[in-house]
Amino acid sequence: MNFSLNDEQTALKDTLAKFIERDYSFDQRWKITESDVGWSREHWNKLAEIGAMALPVAENDGGLGGSGVDTMVVMEQLGRGLVVEPYIGCVILPVALLTQGASDIERAGLLERIGSGESMVAFAHTDAGSRYEREQLKTRATFANGAYSITGKKIAVLGGDCAELLLVSAKVGQDAAASLFLVQTSASGVTRFPYPMQDAQRGADISFVNAPAVLLGERASAQAAIDYALDAACAALSAEAIGVMSELQKITVEYLKTRKQFGRAIGMNQALQHRAVDMLMHLEMSRSMAMEAAVAMSAPDAKARAKSVSAAKVLIGQACRFVGQQAVQLHGGIGVTHELNVSHYFKRLTMIGASFGDCDWHLARYGESLLAA
Amino acid sequence: MDLRYNDEQRAFAQEVREFTRANLDPSVAKKVLEGARLSREDYLAWHRALYKKGWVGVGWPTAFGGTGWNSTQQHIFDEVTADEGAPQLMPFGLRMVAPVIMAFGNKTQQDHYLPKILSGEHWWCQGYSEPGSGSDLASLKTKAERSKDADGAHYIVNGQKTWTTLGQHADWIFCLVRTSTDGRQQEGISFLLIDMKSPGVTVRPIIMLDQEHEVNEVWFDNVRVPAENLIGEENKGWTYAKFLLSHERTGIAGVGRCKRIVKRLHHVAKQATANGQPLIEDVRFRDRLAQAEIELRALEITLLRVLDAEREKRAPGPEASLLKIKGSEIQQTLTELTMMAAGPAALPYVREGEHEAQDVAWLSDEAYRYATGTYFNFRKTTIYGGSNEIQRNIVTQLVLGL
Ligand SMILES: Cc1cc2nc3c(=O)[nH]c(=O)nc-3n(C[C@H](O)[C@H](O)[C@H](O)COP(=O)(O)OP(=O)(O)OC[C@H]3O[C@@H](n4cnc5c(N)ncnc54)[C@H](O)[C@@H]3O)c2cc1C
């Protein structure tokens, strides 16, 4: 067993940490989130230069062939900086989907362009009104005159505001299982409603009305790729949460030492000291589970992977909630202001908890694995 | 012992409901039920409707134009109007400064201010907290110096208040100010009423985490306040402030509001689907909802017990602080559950009116439009009105004697 990063991973971590320090201070982030598009091409390109986009792309596909642990290293740093560029939406998800769900020919070139930061591809999966449902899709594809077209409504598409291509999950006719399609966002029948998310990342609701689509991989055989990609997103979110929580923990402990009431630091009160200890405990337990999920992404067995990832998402979801809420509480009034960074960390943690399955959803999924065993 | 309403009380509830349905603007009710923001006029329209009916002075004695209702009637009124989607009556005038004026103000002050609070002519805000004085309120520094000139005795006020809720709408602010630095901190504080239009008063918005303008900084730069705006005696303000805080605590439990949220959650949980079934069929979610309802019922009965004890002039006992703690926690649980029900539809942030303005089909469920913002916003409930940590300290010291 080995819990340390290798030299390359340590170097990657240091590079990203420097990027956050130099290019992603809270003020710089503020400028980005307040801009019209709400994210920064310049910062996106910098991440690409560092190699973050090519990292999860396999070497065969022109990438760096990084592992789940490499992704964990990246995500933790992005979390520390509350980076709003759609790394999960336009790198983790499409890379995982294309790698698992498209043939060599179909993905040739595309993965390379994602890896260089040139192309932005998003995953339109969540059907309106279907919560965290992974399999029972409402979006339908039809085949006529030698071509597919798609009709349906997808919500909360990460990076759906800026992507030029969409990977869309849909069922063809009465198929039992999902298929995966490629759709141009500029195509006829595609309408986007872009918006900021609650945590200042951007996304979109997208409606498809007979939108022309290209089938990727085999018809009705995309579920495994979809599951893999959503698990990859969950593992990435878990690692990101570690970055967010560790910053928030640090900021809060510092505040306990400096804010004075009743003539002494508020951190002198045992009630608050114990709260801070519990925050730390949540953080450390989460860190362990983020490792579990990262390693599991390389596991050959899909069931084992699912179990580990869901376990991580449950425990980390609970931690996100506790650490976020308590950081706000321990700051008092200033904690609920837009001006201070604390509320922004809190909001990101809240959104991590609500993304790609909340605690209850993953607890149920984990529980089902016990039934099957 | 009987924990149910009797016939008379049920008839009263029916009367309140009918009045509310006939007089509450449905567009305002819709906003309240959805958790949308209300304008100053939204609050005031409902306030004036109640004023006309003689129902605005809930909890006030009849001598001052109040309803004279007993505690159960007050609770029924709160519950039914909340259920119908009525805006909360702003507490700052009606429930905070008015009881202080009644108890400690002079006749001239009572005759001047109380009718204007009832009619809605004066919107009040609360000027207690300062940047350096939150939990430790007695350390407040905003200074009021007494002097006299040809125009009479007055105070010159300098300093800053903060977290002033809806101060941007207010005509008047009641302030705790420092009039002496001798002796114990608590002994140099006075209770002063200040016209927000006075020269030297500046209100600056503080944007909250839900990106809404709900609180403010209020700055005082050599503000001249007539000496007759002092309540009671100089340097006795702390006593009045404490009296007020105990009034704030029972009102802050928010039982009516919680019951409304629960009802809406039932509705939402039946509409939303999880794994192809209504969310209410999901046993995990349903258990959470059931648990919250059970706690809310316990809170409601406890609230009625406390109100009853107050009526009979028995000391309120430990329940008052416990009400604030539990009430705020339940409010947070319920707003969190609403956000959970939304699932991924909780993610988008849409400013009010934006999707109507955009003329684009809004796909993420409309029912959840304000769910996440409300969850964020309600983190305040365990911080304001004396944080829950401070409430626990109070119970520790005054009740448990530890
Ligand atoms: C939305 C909102 C609206 C408000 N509206 C008004 C208003 O209209 N008028 C007004 O005057 N004020 C208002 N307040 C202010 C509110 O009363 C204060 O925020 C509150 O008293 C806490 O003070 P603080 O924010 O300075 O936090 P601090 O006092 O600095 O507290 C920070 C943290 O330390 C904890 N703490 C402090 N001392 C102790 C202790 N001895 N033991 C254990 N824990 C402790 C607190 O519980 C909190 O968790 C409002 C606040 C909010 C958030």
Side-chain angles (χ1 to χ4, degrees):
Chain A
M1 221 163 257
N2 173 7
F3 299 103
S4 20
L5 302 177
N6 63 30
D7 290 349
E8 280 168 19
Q9 288 162 341
T10 307
L12 178 66
K13 179 182 160 182
D14 293 345
T15 311
L16 277 155
K18 265 193 215 111
F19 164 76
I20 299 298
E21 252 159 58
R22 211 180 37 219
D23 298 306
Y24 230 92
S25 67
F26 190 59
D27 287 346
Q28 285 162 310
R29 178 185 183 271
W30 195 277
K31 285 203 192 84
I32 295 172
T33 58
E34 292 292 299
S35 70
D36 280 349
V37 290
W39 63 286
S40 152
R41 173 70 69 178
E42 186 194 333
H43 288 79
W44 185 257
N45 290 341
K46 279 189 180 155
L47 281 171
E49 274 164 39
I50 292 170
M53 278 61 172
L55 194 69
V57 178
E59 286 180 22
N60 288 343
D61 292 315
L64 297 171
S67 66
V69 177
D70 295 320
T71 298
M72 180 182 87
V73 170
V74 173
M75 286 312 303
E76 182 173 345
Q77 298 307 315
L78 298 188
R80 281 185 51 221
L82 289 180
V83 169
V84 293
E85 281 67 28
Y87 186 77
I88 292 183
C90 293
V91 178
I92 300 288
L93 280 165
V95 168
L97 277 167
L98 288 166
T99 308
Q100 303 286 321
S103 71
D104 294 356
I105 302 168
E106 287 164 347
R107 65 182 193 240
L110 189 49
L111 277 170
E112 211 164 330
R113 288 204 304 280
I114 294 174
S116 67
E118 190 189 329
S119 283
M120 296 186 92
V121 183
F123 182 28
H125 173 65
T126 305
D127 282 324
S130 70
R131 289 183 100 245
Y132 302 116
E133 187 53 62
R134 282 189 177 190
E135 294 179 14
Q136 294 182 16
L137 296 170
K138 295 180 193 163
T139 301
R140 285 282 174 269
T142 46
F143 188 73
N145 304 325
Y148 284 98
S149 65
I150 285 186
T151 298
K153 294 171 175 180
K154 301 287 192 180
I155 65 160
V157 179
L158 296 177
D161 56 312
C162 56
E164 68 256 17
L165 283 173
L166 296 170
L167 295 164
V168 186
S169 57
K171 280 184 181 168
V172 183
Q174 300 304 310
D175 281 0
S179 305
L180 193 62
F181 295 90
L182 194 63
V183 178
Q184 307 267 355
T185 41
S186 59
S188 66
V190 179
T191 312
R192 292 200 266 187
F193 178 19
Y195 43 69
M197 303 281 201
Q198 293 284 351
D199 54 14
Q201 299 202 4
R202 297 281 171 131
D205 285 2
I206 307 178
S207 95
F208 303 87
V209 180
N210 296 319
V214 175
L215 177 71
L216 296 179
E218 298 287 315
R219 177 175 157 180
S221 59
Q223 194 58 49
I226 291 172
D227 278 331
Y228 179 87
L230 293 175
D231 280 350
C234 287
L237 284 172
S238 299
E240 184 187 355
I242 305 309
V244 181
M245 285 193 281
S246 59
E247 284 301 303
L248 201 45
Q249 162 81 11
K250 224 172 10 192
I251 293 167
T252 305
V253 170
E254 191 52 37
Y255 194 71
L256 292 180
K257 289 178 185 164
T258 46
R259 170 69 173 173
K260 287 204 171 71
Q261 289 287 279
F262 304 101
R264 59 181 197 166
I266 56 172
M268 300 285 282
N269 297 296
Q270 214 163 51
L272 304 194
Q273 293 169 352
H274 288 185
R275 209 82 58 79
V277 171
D278 288 345
M279 287 169 73
L280 182 65
M281 207 135 66
H282 274 287
L283 170 60
E284 287 309 319
M285 297 282 282
S286 296
R287 200 186 291 282
S288 302
M289 291 311 279
M291 292 177 178
E292 164 100 345
V295 171
M297 284 316 296
S298 312
D301 174 15
K303 283 198 185 115
R305 180 198 76 222
K307 200 172 167 185
S308 296
V309 168
S310 279
K313 193 71 171 51
V314 169
L315 191 115
I316 291 171
Q318 290 160 351
C320 285
R321 180 174 176 271
F322 185 85
V323 173
Q325 292 179 350
Q326 292 308 325
V328 169
Q329 181 68 23
L330 298 192
H331 275 83
I334 198 89
V336 292
T337 63
H338 188 54
E339 191 186 337
L340 192 73
N341 55 4
V342 169
S343 70
H344 297 257
Y345 284 100
F346 165 60
K347 290 199 269 186
R348 181 63 195 142
L349 289 177
T350 308
M351 294 297 97
I352 288 175
S355 296
F356 304 116
D358 59 10
C359 290
D360 280 2
W361 192 89
H362 282 282
L363 193 61
R365 186 177 184 231
Y366 186 96
E368 275 153 29
S369 75
L370 303 182
L371 284 176
Chain B
M1 192 173 294
D2 189 354
L3 300 180
R4 284 160 310 170
Y5 294 142
N6 60 30
D7 287 347
E8 198 184 321
Q9 288 161 338
R10 272 197 296 274
F12 176 66
Q14 190 53 31
E15 188 190 353
V16 173
R17 194 173 294 281
E18 276 160 21
F19 174 82
T20 309
R21 288 196 176 155
N23 291 280
L24 175 63
D25 178 347
S27 71
V28 174
K30 183 167 184 288
K31 283 196 206 176
V32 171
L33 294 172
E34 285 182 357
R37 288 270 145 185
L38 302 184
S39 69
R40 187 180 200 268
E41 189 45 40
D42 290 340
Y43 286 111
L44 280 177
W46 173 237
H47 183 113
R48 284 192 293 258
L50 289 172
Y51 174 63
K52 260 209 236 149
K53 174 81 175 165
W55 279 2
V56 88
V58 179
W60 286 29
T62 43
F64 291 111
T67 59
W69 289 334
N70 65 30
S71 57
T72 317
Q73 285 173 305
Q74 290 177 38
H75 177 68
I76 291 172
F77 176 81
D78 176 51
E79 181 185 347
V80 174
T81 51
D83 185 54
E84 288 292 326
Q88 187 197 3
L89 284 171
M90 279 298 116
F92 309 107
L94 288 167
R95 282 173 179 268
M96 293 187 180
V97 77
V100 172
I101 293 174
M102 287 176 205
F104 307 105
N106 58 39
K107 177 87 172 58
T108 316
Q109 289 168 334
Q110 291 172 347
D111 291 346
H112 179 72
Y113 293 108
L114 297 177
K116 294 186 172 67
I117 292 174
L118 276 183
S119 70
E121 185 182 335
H122 285 174
W123 183 304
W124 283 84
C125 65
Q126 179 185 26
Y128 276 22
S129 307
E130 298 179 7
S133 306
S135 298
D136 182 14
L137 188 58
S139 68
L140 62 93
K141 292 199 175 65
T142 296
K143 202 161 73 177
E145 285 171 296
R146 198 179 172 104
S147 64
K148 200 168 182 160
D149 60 18
D151 292 333
H154 58 268
Y155 291 94
I156 297 295
V157 178
N158 278 291
Q160 187 205 339
K161 295 294 174 180
T162 193
W163 311 124
T164 320
T165 299
L166 299 183
Q168 72 266 35
H169 297 331
D171 305 298
W172 283 80
I173 182 168
F174 56 93
C175 282
L176 292 181
V177 291
R178 183 151 303 284
T179 37
S180 164
T181 47
D182 299 338
R184 286 176 65 233
Q185 282 182 331
Q186 286 82 347
E187 286 158 11
I189 292 171
S190 299
F191 197 105
L192 205 54
L193 313 180
I194 303 177
D195 186 341
M196 294 290 277
K197 285 185 291 293
S198 315
V201 175
T202 311
V203 178
R204 295 197 188 131
I206 300 175
I207 303 303
M208 278 180 58
L209 78 175
D210 57 358
Q211 304 188 54
E212 297 289 345
H213 176 193
E214 181 174 316
V215 286
N216 302 271
E217 297 176 351
V218 181
W219 296 73
F220 300 92
D221 180 17
N222 285 316
V223 176
R224 193 190 145 111
V225 182
E228 67 251 30
N229 291 15
L230 178 77
I231 292 288
E233 286 177 53
E234 205 176 83
N235 297 330
K236 289 273 163 60
W238 188 251
T239 320
Y240 316 146
K242 279 205 304 198
F243 169 84
L244 188 159
L245 277 175
S246 68
H247 270 256
E248 188 178 353
R249 234 158 261 156
T250 45
I252 221 162
V255 171
R257 175 153 72 167
C258 285
K259 289 181 105 172
R260 181 178 71 220
I261 302 177
V262 162
K263 196 167 154 191
R264 187 162 168 75
L265 254 176
H266 278 258
H267 172 72
V268 163
K270 278 181 195 138
Q271 281 198 328
T273 49
N275 302 319
Q277 288 197 310
L279 181 59
I280 195 80
E281 301 286 336
D282 176 354
V283 74
R284 279 179 193 80
F285 187 85
R286 195 170 64 222
D287 281 356
R288 290 182 191 277
L289 183 54
Q291 177 73 36
E293 278 194 45
I294 292 165
E295 287 186 30
L296 180 55
R297 179 63 182 152
L299 180 72
E300 183 178 20
I301 297 172
T302 313
L303 173 69
L304 288 166
R305 279 172 52 208
V306 172
L307 292 175
D308 193 55
E310 274 177 2
R311 181 172 55 96
E312 294 181 5
K313 296 273 179 296
R314 280 185 273 124
E319 296 93 341
S321 274
L322 300 182
L323 277 178
K324 155 61 180 38
I325 297 171
K326 207 63 215 177
S328 55
E329 287 176 357
I330 293 175
Q331 290 179 54
Q332 292 184 339
T333 303
L334 289 171
T335 51
E336 189 170 5
L337 274 178
T338 311
M339 179 181 70
M340 280 179 70
L347 272 66
Y349 166 71
V350 182
R351 264 182 208 283
E352 218 171 308
E354 193 167 296
H355 81 291
E356 285 91 347
Q358 284 221 9
D359 195 29
V360 188
W362 174 239
L363 311 177
S364 308
D365 204 321
E366 262 193 52
Y368 308 123
R369 250 197 289 175
Y370 305 108
T372 308
T374 307
Y375 165 69
F376 289 155
N377 182 277
F378 271 49
R379 300 318 301 171
K380 71 187 176 189
T381 63
T382 46
I383 295 169
Y384 66 21
S387 76
N388 284 19
E389 287 79 12
I390 295 302
Q391 303 294 352
R392 286 186 163 92
N393 287 350
I394 291 172
V395 178
T396 304
Q397 286 155 23
L398 300 185
V399 180
L400 304 181
L402 289 170

